[in-house]
Amino acid sequence: MPSQMAHCLYFTNLLAFPGSVSEWPYLKKACQAGKDTVYFKDGVRHIDFVLSYVDDKDGDKKAERRREFEANLEKAGLELEAEDKSESGDRKTYYLKIHAPWEVLATYADVLKIKVPFKASDIPKAQEVHLEWLTQPFRLPDNIMMPEPDYFTAPFDKSKVDFFLIDDKDTFFPPSTRNRIVYYILTRCPYYKEDCKEEDKTGIKRLLNNGTYTSAYPLHDCKYWKKAEDMQCDSERYHLYRYWARFLCFYKKQPLNLIKKYYGEKIGIYFAWLGFYTEMLFFAAVMGVICFVYGVLSYEDNITSKEICDPEIGGMIVMCPLCDKKCRYWKLNSTCLSSWQSHLFDNEGTVFFAMFMGIWVTLFLEFWKRRQARLEYEWDLVDFEEEQQQLQIRPEYELKCTGRRFNRITQEMEPYLPFPSKCARFCLSGATVLFWTCLIVACIIGVIAYRLAVYAAFASVMKDSPTSKIQLVGSLITPQLATSVTASCINFVIILILNFLYEHVAIWITDMEIPKTHLEYENKLTMKMFMFQFVNYYSSCFYVAFFKGKFVGYPGNYSYMFGKWSMLRNEECAPGGCLIELTTQLLIVMAGKQMVGNAQEALSIYWRSHPKSTYSRWEQDHDLQNFSQYGLFYEYLEMVIQFGFITLFVASFPLAPLLALFNNILEVRVDAWKLTTQFRRPVAAKARNIGAWKEILNVVAILSVVTNAFIVAFTSDMIPRLVYLYAYHPGNKATMRGYITNSLSFYNISQIPEDNLPEHGENPSWYRDYRYPPGHEKQYTHTMQFWHILAAKLAFIVIMEHVVFVVKFFVAWLIPDVPVGIKSHIKRERFLVQEYLHNYEVEKLKMQLSQSCSLATETAPLLPSMLALSCFT
């Protein structure tokens, strides 16, 4: 840079003619500042924010906006320095560097009630455990885990500057706080002339939207692959990349304090939650693997599957066709393989694992509350919402709400949205969400119709003999499997398409509601997106779990989806049962979602590489991707949807937590890698907790107990088998022998209506149900065993729910949300703040009194002369 070269040449001349040595430090720093710097050209003032723009066809109007905006920024106290396009790498882009001096930082730190240190902490740290060597491989260096010493903090007060521990005003506020303050000013600074006030012409967001500026961002402190040349720079980005963002560090603890210091508390909370969730998944995954191994080891003891596979039992049972006309009779032993597969997940371990997950989710939420409370204390977030939330009014709210009303609390006029307008916007928003939810339901009905039609189409091309086995499409795939897999894949594609469309709709209707604060905006958007995603992702699983095969009817009196005229008979469960179908559906949707997400992130890894040539720090960051305000939102949404999969339907697939664990280990490092290397530095933001996601997790946790109880009772065959074992088995010894024939009902095929009659012959047929046989006075009505099983299912649901809920509430009561030690630390800090403020005010008053006394003493000898002069006058 020419100006820096001039400074350096002047500094060289000073060495030869040392006249003005007072300029040496200033010029020395200027010489040391190279292209890859975070300082102004003088090498002293820190760059807190950068704006960029280019010339275009609408240049005059935009240039006028920029002039007014930059003039107002200077009036607000910010210092600006421009970089001409001739000095940029592309020769097109202008850069405006912004520096906030001490006066501006102190003023807005007072306004925003930013907490700063006033005394070194005297609370002793927790004693190291004796088995520290066991955790040593998972630990990072102490300077990475704890980049800052412990202090007691208090909200900054500009009138009490000497109360706080200010060693150097230039470094007192860390870069994350500095860029937060500057962004606060940028979002509220107008770009209209003083004589022509136009309220809507305010804020950097509008200037970015209309193209006046192309980007606005704070700077990273260095390159991510090597340390900064300036020894005063902490090179925190480099440390984050080396110790956190690389996949080889997957087994290491996350440097949460360094993440918080560099990116702000909001991003720090997200990674703390994601890391804790991943740690807790380990225990659920271990238990799921144990239950799956139990299913594998009890393979040979499965009498039910042995009877199905036995040619003398299953081979002699001819089953009714699974669809009208086109489907053929089939022998029960043709489902031998699927019955073995179903046993892997539908066994006694399923009940235990469902109850375990109900307790696990409670432990997860309760222990997270404790971890969150600790972070709130350590990161000075305890009183954040109560003191500062109202200061986070969105600039959009202030601009769009032209009405004003008197606030009795603040005694000031404030913007507000009239009640009729608020109701109209709410109704339109609700109607939009309802429409899209109905659209999802319509798509699910379409997929169900597809399953029915395609199954009949597969059945019409069968080549096998009428009753030998379940016919195959190809060499290994049954029509049931082909229909189920293709329908699941189509459903997954529909899910992705609807998600893509609804994302834009949800943002539009949330903007239309004009939420008052940033927190309110995030909560509204969160609820809309989750409600939609809940229906979109889980509706197909709910259908398979609780509706498929439940409203079929019986031969001669089948139920139809759109009436008998449609010829679309309601779906029956596959020969292996509905639980294995639910497992297939869950695996395809959950694994497919994770694979698509990971594929998108993996592609971005090779999208960019670090530059070979050296160019300015602001240009390097300009070339990175912008971290949007929805960045963390989508990360949370992805994890919460996954949380729903591993809790709501986990009874059907115990390996779901294991898949989630592997995905999350990768997710933590990929998210860290993207944030450190591919994105510009986000504006630091505070957040006390994970927001509305916490309540969503609580609702999902409660709902999961109900869904898993119903899955075990109505989707699996566990309850019918237990009822048979203890009430209907033949002989004195409890055994499962004879269960297969007991669970089937006989139908006289000659009585079947012609519309249902298969095209190939007549055979005595069986079907899955508990009904009286033909010739009985109650033929084809439910037997008493059916009602016993139904009563047992309902009793199981009630018992399981009550047991799990009692344990959940007991565990929640037993584990306090805030650790006792943290409570005492918070109380001590509040006490110290009051005590030190009191002592400070007392000392200040004493100093003022002593100064007054000394002034009075000095003026006392002059008092007679002054009186005489006044009398003379």
Side-chain angles (χ1 to χ4, degrees), residues 102 116-120 149 151 156 161-173:
W102 168 258
V116 294
F118 69 90
K119 180 184 182 297
Y151 291 106
F156 186 79
V161 173
D162 51 342
F163 173 72
F164 302 100
L165 297 178
I166 304 177
D167 296 328
D168 185 353
K169 289 184 177 181
D170 291 336
T171 59
F172 180 67
F173 294 108

Side-chain angles (χ1 to χ4, degrees), residues 249-268:
C249 301
F250 73 92
Y251 62 95
K252 297 280 190 179
K253 289 185 177 181
Q254 295 188 86
L256 295 176
N257 290 300
L258 184 58
I259 298 170
K260 183 270 299 184
K261 181 184 176 186
Y262 191 74
Y263 290 115
E265 290 81 357
K266 191 170 185 178
I267 291 178

Side-chain angles (χ1 to χ4, degrees), residues 733-775:
K733 184 179 180 181
T735 178
M736 288 301 295
R737 295 191 182 279
Y739 169 73
I740 289 300
T741 54
N742 177 265
S743 64
L744 300 177
S745 297
F746 180 75
Y747 185 80
N748 187 353
I749 204 68
S750 62
Q751 299 176 356
I752 195 170
E754 187 175 349
D755 292 340
N756 303 126
L757 190 66
E759 295 177 349
H760 300 278
E762 296 183 5
N763 290 279
S765 294
W766 298 79
Y767 60 98
R768 294 177 181 275
D769 208 342
Y770 295 90
R771 294 180 183 271
Y772 289 110

Side-chain angles (χ1 to χ4, degrees), residues 661-678:
L661 175 64
F662 289 148
N663 176 80
N664 287 10
I665 290 174
L666 180 64
E667 182 77 19
V668 172
R669 303 303 162 178
V670 170
D671 286 351
W673 186 89
K674 289 191 304 180
L675 196 62
T676 309
T677 67
Q678 301 299 296

Side-chain angles (χ1 to χ4, degrees), residues 710-842:
F710 272 85
I711 287 173
V712 174
F714 286 97
T715 309
S716 80
D717 284 336
M718 180 60 58
I719 303 302
R721 289 201 297 263
L722 291 175
V723 170
Y724 175 81
L725 181 64
Y726 293 109
Y728 287 90
H729 68 275
N732 297 324
K733 184 179 180 181
T735 178
M736 288 301 295
R737 295 191 182 279
Y739 169 73
I740 289 300
T741 54
N742 177 265
S743 64
L744 300 177
S745 297
F746 180 75
Y747 185 80
N748 187 353
I749 204 68
S750 62
Q751 299 176 356
I752 195 170
E754 187 175 349
D755 292 340
N756 303 126
L757 190 66
E759 295 177 349
H760 300 278
E762 296 183 5
N763 290 279
S765 294
W766 298 79
Y767 60 98
R768 294 177 181 275
D769 208 342
Y770 295 90
R771 294 180 183 271
Y772 289 110
H776 194 279
E777 60 179 351
K778 297 181 180 179
Q779 67 174 3
Y780 304 136
T781 60
H782 284 122
T783 64
M784 187 57 66
Q785 185 176 355
F786 170 84
W787 299 110
H788 287 168
I789 291 173
L790 180 60
K793 289 180 177 179
L794 296 176
F796 172 81
I797 291 172
V798 172
I799 293 171
M800 177 178 168
E801 287 181 356
H802 280 69
V803 169
V804 174
F805 280 133
V806 166
V807 174
K808 280 169 65 71
F809 293 136
F810 176 74
V811 169
W813 171 80
L814 190 65
I815 303 174
D817 293 348
V818 182
V820 176
I822 295 299
K823 285 183 179 179
S824 62
H825 292 176
I826 293 173
K827 290 178 180 179
R828 171 158 179 75
E829 183 163 337
R830 287 175 175 169
F831 167 76
L832 284 175
V833 169
Q834 295 297 325
E835 183 183 32
Y836 273 76
L837 276 174
H838 172 74
N839 294 338
Y840 171 81
E841 295 292 347
V842 170

Side-chain angles (χ1 to χ4, degrees), residues 8 22 72 115 128 144 167 188 191 211 249 271 352 372 403 479 488 522 527 564 572 609 712 749 757 776 783 825:
C8 290
S22 61
N72 288 328
K115 288 189 172 183
E128 299 291 340
I144 303 299
D167 296 328
R188 287 159 174 79
Y191 55 92
C249 301
F271 280 102
F352 169 78
Q372 181 177 273
S488 297
E522 290 181 4
M527 295 307 299
K564 196 168 184 179
E572 294 187 45
S609 59
V712 174
I749 204 68
L757 190 66
H776 194 279
T783 64
H825 292 176

Side-chain angles (χ1 to χ4, degrees), residues 4 70 193 213 255 369 394 451 505 640 670 730 746 865:
Q4 288 180 342
E70 291 166 16
K193 295 182 179 179
Y213 291 100
K369 290 177 185 176
R394 298 172 64 238
R451 297 169 73 111
V505 175
V640 172
V670 170
F746 180 75
S865 303

